[in-house]
Amino acid sequence: KNEVEQSPQNLTAQEGEFITINCSYSVGISALHWLQQHPGGGIVSLFMLSSGKKKHGRLIATINIQEKHSSLHITASHPRDSAVYICAGMNSGGYQKVTFGIGTKLQVIP
Amino acid sequence: NAGVTQTPKFQVLKTGQSMTLQCAQDMNHNSMYWYRQDPGMGLRLIYYSASEGTTDKGEVPNGYNVSRLNKREFSLRLESAAPSQTSVYFCASSDDSPYEQYFGPGTRLTVT
């Protein structure tokens, strides 16, 4: 069974800190999807990547295929970054099925 | 361009009652999905539809039925609700490649 594990499960940071959330995945997953779930419950797509690195504003996502590991970095964190960040593995084999991690709850304190 | 819409946003049912959750997308996506989200667990796939007229079971299909009414709409039906179905339900849709998923706002369902 494909698995996705995230760490840490909870993270508290001071405003301005550099934040890293990690995601490890098993064989059979061909791409990683990073999602943000707001305190109100809505889920927003941040990045989808199968190799290398992507950047959008203060968010950076990287993936190391050999190590089956991906990271989401937030630079100059802000209280509005407080949310649950979810890593999801896109399964290879032609199916549109996804394996989700349980999420990392981030709180950024002013 | 509304993206993915779901109705209702909240619902309380008694055990044994039935209801249908509605989902629609306006992004011309072929694939649509229903997930449930429970505390301490990742999103779990209930059913998905790769194209109009096709549906397939996901990880937790028991107690649910789905209908892909047309390309835009994908509904989830609970025929006889049980307390174990208390959850937050999300509909999503994706393009064909690389299957990046877009989520609706969710439906919070409580079964008493």
Side-chain angles (χ1 to χ4, degrees):
Chain A
K1 183 184 172 189
N2 294 321
E3 291 185 347
V4 171
E5 292 188 3
Q6 285 185 243
S7 62
Q9 289 190 27
N10 292 283
L11 182 56
T12 300
Q14 290 292 133
E15 183 174 356
E17 285 186 5
F18 181 84
I19 290 163
T20 296
I21 298 169
N22 296 300
C23 178
S24 297
Y25 57 92
S26 63
V27 172
I29 287 173
S30 58
L32 258 290
H33 196 178
W34 283 100
L35 302 150
Q36 180 191 55
Q37 186 167 24
H38 300 295
I43 299 174
V44 175
S45 173
L46 297 176
F47 297 103
M48 186 145 186
L49 67 168
S50 55
S51 64
K53 174 180 173 178
K54 288 190 176 180
K55 185 176 189 292
H56 185 262
R58 295 180 295 105
L59 300 177
I60 303 166
T62 64
I63 189 168
N64 185 317
I65 297 168
Q66 286 74 27
E67 295 185 4
K68 297 185 183 50
H69 182 268
S70 178
S71 294
L72 177 68
H73 306 285
I74 304 175
T75 62
S77 59
H78 189 277
R80 65 175 174 266
D81 297 325
S82 298
V84 175
Y85 292 84
I86 300 170
C87 166
M90 317 299 286
N91 299 335
S92 55
Y95 291 102
Q96 302 96 309
K97 292 184 182 178
V98 184
T99 303
F100 292 86
I102 63 172
T104 294
K105 186 173 183 179
L106 171 66
Q107 183 179 18
V108 181
I109 300 170
Chain B
N1 194 344
V4 180
T5 58
Q6 286 182 240
T7 55
K9 284 191 167 53
F10 300 94
Q11 184 72 48
V12 178
L13 292 176
K14 292 189 185 330
T15 297
Q17 288 185 317
S18 62
M19 79 162 295
T20 300
L21 282 64
Q22 306 286 355
C23 174
Q25 53 94 7
D26 62 2
M27 295 174 282
N28 202 36
H29 288 162
N30 283 322
S31 299
M32 297 186 73
Y33 313 79
W34 276 106
Y35 294 98
R36 60 178 289 172
Q37 185 178 42
D38 300 295
M41 303 184 76
L43 287 154
R44 291 183 293 168
L45 182 66
I46 304 171
Y47 271 93
Y48 72 99
S49 170
S51 62
E52 183 179 350
T54 68
T55 60
D56 284 287
K57 294 179 180 179
E59 185 183 352
V60 288
N62 292 343
Y64 305 96
N65 285 302
V66 290
S67 295
R68 183 74 183 267
L69 304 168
N70 48 53
K71 191 169 187 178
R72 289 188 65 248
E73 297 172 288
F74 189 38
S75 62
L76 178 73
R77 183 160 177 84
L78 286 71
E79 291 291 351
S80 178
S84 61
Q85 294 178 306
T86 294
S87 188
V88 181
Y89 292 84
F90 287 95
C91 177
S93 69
S94 73
D95 48 23
D96 286 343
S97 181
Y99 302 116
E100 182 172 1
Q101 302 206 354
Y102 298 83
F103 286 82
T107 296
R108 190 172 293 273
L109 174 67
T110 301
V111 183
T112 60

